[in-house]
Amino acid sequence: MLRPTEVRECYFEEDARREMEVLARRSSGVALYRVRGEPLSGLWGKPKLIERQGEILTLE
């Protein structure tokens, strides 16, 4: 059974890709998503999958 274990927030895609590589070394699957929104208002759009490695959960 797959379970989410860790979420890391990055402001730049390059930084997110580096974090993804670190997480991939110790996980069965990792995913890189882009989420656009307004942090001050708490309004967020739907996540968009950019890249994945291994098995991941789907976001709903």
Side-chain angles (χ1 to χ4, degrees):
M1 179 176 177
L2 291 176
R3 295 181 191 181
T5 57
E6 192 169 346
V7 174
R8 295 194 183 176
E9 182 177 313
C10 298
Y11 293 101
F12 302 101
E13 187 173 329
E14 182 179 306
D15 295 339
R17 288 186 184 278
R18 276 195 294 271
E19 290 293 324
M20 183 178 179
E21 292 302 319
V22 170
L23 291 171
R25 292 184 200 126
R26 62 176 192 247
S27 301
S28 61
V30 294
L32 175 61
Y33 287 91
R34 174 177 292 152
V35 181
R36 295 181 187 250
E38 296 292 331
L40 296 177
S41 67
L43 298 174
W44 297 96
K46 289 189 175 188
K48 177 184 175 188
L49 180 65
I50 303 297
E51 185 179 339
R52 73 180 185 123
Q53 295 179 14
E55 270 189 278
I56 62 167
L57 296 171
T58 57
L59 294 180
E60 294 181 14

